[in-house]
Each structure stands twice: as C-alpha cells, then as structure tokens.
Amino acid sequence: MWPDIKINQFKLFVFDVDGTILQLHHKLDPLTQSVLLDLKDLGFAITLATGKNMKSTRALAEKLQIELPLVLSNGCVLQSLDGTIHQKHYFSTDFIWQLIEECERMSLDLAIHIDEDIYVKEVTDNLAILYTYGSPSLEVVGEWKTIKGLFPKAYKCLVVDRNSRDPLFELEKRMRSKVGDSVAYCHTLAEMLEFMPEGVSKMTGVRAITEKMDISLKSVMAFGDGNNDSEMLAAVGFGAAVENAAKSAKNSADWVVPSCANNGPAQFLQYLMKDYSNPD
C-alpha cells in the first residue's frame, strides 16, 4: 500500500547515498539507476545529499547524470560536477585546535576534511571505516601541526570510536562546554560523531538548491536512512525513509519505503511514475 500522493506535486527529488540508494559495497543496483534516469527523463530534477565529499561521490553523480549542485559533506559544500562551488562553510582555526586538543587528551581518532581530501594522523582500525564508506584515500600527516596552514580551509571533522559510543558523547559534551552551538554536531552513525560549521546540515543545502531553483521546500521529495537525514526528511514536502533507516529518520519521515537492499526508493518512484504516465 502506497500513500495517496501524485508525483507532479514535486519538482526536486533528493537522495541520500549509502544505505538509501547504494547497497552493500557501495553498489548502485541497475534498477535504481534506471528508475532515477527515467525520473529525470520525465523532466524532474534530481540530486544527492550525502556526508561524503566530491571525490567519493563523483562516480555516482556521473552515472545518474546529475546537473544540479550536489549537497556534500552534510551540507558543508554545495558543488556541481563541473567543479563549480556554489557554497562552502568553514570552521575557525581556533575550533580545529580545540578539537585536536580534546581528541588527543581522550585518545580519540580524528579526521579533518580539507578541500577534497581527508587528513588523519594515522590510519587506525577506527578510521579504516572511512574506506568502508567509500573514501578513496586518507592523507596521513603524522602530526597535525604539519598541515596547520590548511586549517582555514577545514569544513568538516569527524571522530570515530568503533568500540563504544560513550567517548563520543563525552567529546560532544566537552566541545559544547568550549564552543557551545558555534558548530553543528551529528552522531551520523553509532560509531561516528561529525562536526560541521554552525547552522550547516543536509537540509540547509537542500534549501539553498530550492532557492536557486525558485521553488519551495514543499516541492521536494527526499529519501534517506541516517540521523543526518532526519532534519531534511522532516522539512521537505514528502520525506521517505527506507526500511533499514535509523529510528530518528523513520520518525521524521512521512512514509517508510522498502529497504535499500530491495530498491525501496526505486519501487516507490516506479509506482508514482506509472500513475504520472497513465493519469487515467
């Protein structure tokens, strides 16, 4: 049973990547690719909203022939496939040093996003999870001071602990006591705490695209599975969480579609497009 909505209520369709349209081992099922391209052929706009950077997202965006800007790094960057950067938010250098100090004190593993690279002191078992989520490479620096000149270009930081969530909650508590809400915090995965510049999220990135298109958020349908999708799913005209989604994403969504493994977003869109193609 599907919800009683019409596809022509929407002008923009936004997709999270891993766990929403990319299946195990970051594979795009041919059915999902075909359906999203059909959607585009019908004249609807599509884009991606992901925690990944352009280097990790480019191949997928090219397969889907996306022309709009991509919402990258949880909204920190709005960038087109041709390289044009429409929007980018940065941390203060003071924040970076404070985060480094706390991570060192707590022996936590930190990764810093600068331009299209991800910098780490060393590749630990914790940080190796970034390869699992499609990062093509990690830049090993040994000591953070060796790249201090790049800190003004830092736009996202993440800390990983695959053994326990407690240190991540404690780190958030400590950073809030130091910098308050001058940065955004998101427990993207159970083992990952991400920091973004103040006021940045996937939702703010999607809103920027709607302003560029001169449409309202109510004209957007979005699909997601993670905690970092919740705000976006709640804000748009229709938010759909996949069955494998986190509880917060499901609670924020208007509907739950079948799982990513079962091509849930594609199944739902096929139903809507069939109705659109055959209105009688």
Side-chain angles (χ1 to χ4, degrees):
M1 188 73 178
W2 299 111
D4 185 21
I5 58 171
K6 302 295 183 183
I7 198 169
N8 58 4
Q9 295 173 229
F10 307 98
K11 296 180 179 178
L12 172 63
F13 293 77
V14 181
F15 302 88
D16 169 57
V17 176
D18 289 303
T20 299
I21 59 170
L22 284 192
Q23 299 176 350
L24 193 63
H25 307 304
H26 315 288
K27 298 297 184 184
L28 179 65
D29 189 278
L31 173 63
T32 293
Q33 181 176 3
S34 174
V35 169
L36 267 58
L37 290 175
D38 287 346
L39 183 66
K40 205 168 163 291
D41 287 343
L42 287 175
F44 296 102
I46 68 171
T47 194
L48 305 174
T50 175
K52 298 178 175 182
N53 62 12
M54 178 61 85
K55 187 182 288 187
S56 302
T57 309
R58 178 177 294 280
L60 174 62
E62 289 175 344
K63 282 183 180 180
L64 296 175
Q65 301 172 21
I66 293 177
E67 298 166 6
L68 286 174
L70 309 174
V71 179
L72 302 169
S73 301
N74 287 332
C76 297
V77 182
L78 217 60
Q79 186 174 1
S80 298
L81 276 173
D82 66 5
T84 302
I85 295 177
H86 305 271
Q87 187 172 285
K88 199 166 189 178
H89 303 268
Y90 299 99
F91 294 114
S92 70
T93 300
D94 284 346
F95 167 76
I96 297 295
W97 280 118
Q98 288 181 76
L99 181 58
I100 287 172
E101 182 180 286
E102 285 300 334
C103 287
E104 297 284 327
R105 186 176 289 122
M106 298 178 66
S107 300
L108 290 172
D109 292 321
L110 169 67
I112 302 177
H113 288 237
I114 300 172
D115 294 328
E116 290 195 20
D117 294 312
I118 303 174
Y119 292 86
V120 300
K121 279 186 69 174
E122 60 179 326
V123 180
T124 63
D125 288 341
N126 281 325
L127 293 172
I129 195 175
L130 299 179
Y131 291 129
T132 305
Y133 282 91
S135 298
S137 63
L138 300 174
E139 301 296 323
V140 178
V141 300
E143 296 294 335
W144 289 117
K145 63 183 179 182
T146 62
I147 61 162
K148 63 182 181 181
L150 297 178
F151 286 171
K153 294 183 177 181
Y155 59 86
K156 190 178 91 162
C157 296
L158 59 89
V159 181
V160 184
D161 191 326
R162 302 171 80 172
N163 298 311
S164 172
R165 301 187 70 183
D166 292 342
L168 300 179
F169 287 118
E170 176 61 23
L171 175 63
E172 180 182 355
K173 178 181 175 182
R174 294 188 186 190
M175 293 308 298
R176 284 188 183 277
S177 72
K178 289 176 176 288
V179 302
D181 292 327
S182 64
V183 299
Y185 308 80
C186 184
H187 291 266
T188 313
L189 304 167
E191 58 272 298
M192 190 180 298
L193 171 61
E194 298 194 28
F195 299 85
M196 287 81 67
E198 181 181 8
V200 168
S201 67
K202 288 187 180 183
M203 190 274 288
T204 62
V206 171
R207 178 186 288 140
I209 293 177
T210 63
E211 290 172 355
K212 181 181 176 68
M213 295 176 65
D214 195 25
I215 62 173
S216 75
L217 279 171
K218 295 303 179 185
S219 299
V220 180
M221 180 181 288
F223 296 82
D225 77 313
N227 295 328
N228 57 339
D229 297 313
S230 299
E231 184 185 19
M232 173 180 71
L233 295 178
V236 298
F238 191 88
V242 286
E243 180 56 44
N244 53 284
K247 183 177 179 180
S248 64
K250 288 182 177 179
N251 288 343
S252 299
D254 297 290
W255 199 263
V256 177
V257 300
S259 69
C260 174
N262 289 317
N263 294 302
Q267 285 191 49
F268 183 47
L269 289 169
Q270 278 184 314
Y271 161 76
L272 293 178
M273 286 191 287
K274 180 179 179 181
D275 183 58
Y276 178 74
S277 301
N278 299 284
D280 294 335

